[in-house]
Amino acid sequence: MQSVRDFYRELAQGRLMLAFQPVVWLPDSSRVLYHEGLLRHIDAQGGEVYPLALLEKHQLMRELDHSVVRCVIDALQRDERLRLGCNISAQSAIIDGFWLPILQVLRDFPSVAARLVIEITESATPPSIEAASEFVLCLRELGCRVAIDDFGAGLGTLEFIRQTRPDIVKIDKGYIQRARGELNSAQTLSHLVQLCKTLAPCVIIEGVESAADQNLATACGGEWGQGYLFGRPQVDRLGWRCRLEQRTPPLCALDQA
């Protein structure tokens, strides 16, 4: 729990930021669907930060998720040219008191909602499929798009996707990594892409790191991709820095966990 406490202290101190990575059209990577915000430490040069698995284990993701979404909404309000996305845990996919102020902002500013993508990760199960379906429906009615992130790598089920009917399904990078050298895995990726196209209007293949990956993703039926080939996550990619703020410190909840 000490690492979790340290994490939220750093969040409260404004030492966490979002780095943005583009999601692009595979035939022409200059066409960007949106930029996804990924969590980084203000001093970090490399990958993702901190014990997100522990936060989910102790049911402490909601405060972080709300901070991330607020940060992205603030950025969208500052610049009407932006289209941004961000991750939230499936644990947070439930309408509660924390979400009400955010939903009100989206209701008041429909142009912001129309440029926001909420990506629900599969690393944890939602409180219930019914609650998650209500959450997704509410966001979509406000004009947001909803994505299922890292599909095929976590605890999500086809039934969850069928009921929530997301706008976007993002296929976990592990599938293209395995497909690079295995014919069977390439066929699996191709079948998965076709399945996902029956579940959502937009399918994104994650983990595209080279021109060969791009060709492979296209050959498997992919139309949209994300990965280092198109750009590494950058905290200042969009001309400014998106620093997270924590407005509801959960330290008392941590002490009780």
Side-chain angles (χ1 to χ4, degrees):
M1 288 301 296
Q2 186 58 48
S3 61
V4 175
R5 292 188 180 92
D6 291 343
F7 171 85
Y8 269 111
R9 288 193 181 94
E10 296 225 315
L11 175 60
Q13 293 167 3
R15 299 189 62 79
L16 299 181
M17 308 187 74
L18 293 180
F20 290 92
Q21 185 178 42
V23 175
V24 308
W25 192 43
L26 289 174
D28 179 4
S29 61
S30 66
R31 179 181 172 186
V32 177
L33 185 63
Y34 66 95
H35 287 82
E36 179 190 358
L38 301 165
L39 192 64
R40 296 292 185 269
H41 191 278
I42 193 171
D43 299 322
Q45 302 297 320
E48 296 182 6
V49 296
Y50 288 113
L52 301 186
L54 279 176
L55 293 178
E56 288 191 324
K57 177 182 178 181
H58 293 286
Q59 303 286 315
L60 292 169
M61 282 294 296
R62 288 188 185 179
E63 290 81 2
L64 171 62
D65 288 340
H66 297 149
S67 294
V68 168
V69 174
R70 284 193 299 259
C71 181
V72 169
I73 289 176
D74 289 346
L76 291 170
Q77 289 179 309
R78 289 197 302 268
D79 190 339
E80 62 182 14
R81 299 168 298 176
L82 299 178
R83 293 182 179 273
L84 303 178
C86 59
N87 292 317
I88 67 167
S89 169
Q91 291 178 352
S92 299
I94 182 172
I95 298 175
D96 57 17
F98 286 104
W99 278 111
L100 294 181
I102 294 174
L103 297 176
Q104 187 59 52
V105 171
L106 296 174
R107 190 172 291 110
D108 292 340
F109 297 93
S111 65
V112 169
R115 294 179 286 119
L116 174 63
V117 180
I118 299 294
E119 301 188 10
I120 301 174
T121 66
E122 283 203 312
S123 52
T125 55
S128 73
I129 291 181
E130 292 75 16
S133 298
E134 180 186 4
F135 176 80
V136 170
L137 179 61
C138 179
L139 288 176
R140 295 186 67 189
E141 287 180 342
L142 291 173
C144 303
R145 282 179 291 179
V146 177
I148 300 299
D149 194 21
D150 299 330
F151 179 65
L155 302 175
T157 65
L158 286 177
E159 185 60 26
F160 173 67
I161 293 179
R162 288 194 186 99
Q163 290 201 26
T164 55
R165 305 304 300 179
D167 303 281
I168 300 167
V169 173
K170 303 181 71 175
I171 296 176
D172 183 72
K173 63 183 180 182
Y175 285 91
I176 198 165
Q177 290 172 348
R178 290 187 289 271
R180 289 168 185 160
E182 301 177 6
L183 178 59
N184 288 342
S185 294
Q187 292 174 339
T188 298
L189 176 59
S190 180
H191 292 321
L192 185 58
V193 169
Q194 297 309 313
L195 170 63
C196 290
K197 286 183 176 181
T198 69
L199 300 171
C202 179
V203 178
I204 298 167
I205 298 178
E206 300 179 297
V208 180
E209 299 180 356
S210 66
D213 282 351
Q214 185 177 10
N215 292 334
L216 176 58
T218 300
C220 289
E223 297 175 346
W224 297 93
Q226 182 176 359
Y228 290 165
L229 175 64
F230 311 116
R232 291 178 178 269
Q234 297 180 14
V235 296
D236 56 355
R237 171 180 292 276
L238 305 177
W240 39 260
R241 293 193 166 201
C242 192
R243 184 177 299 194
L244 273 64
E245 296 179 1
Q246 182 188 2
R247 303 172 191 175
T248 55
L251 295 180
C252 58
L254 292 176
D255 292 337
Q256 296 171 3

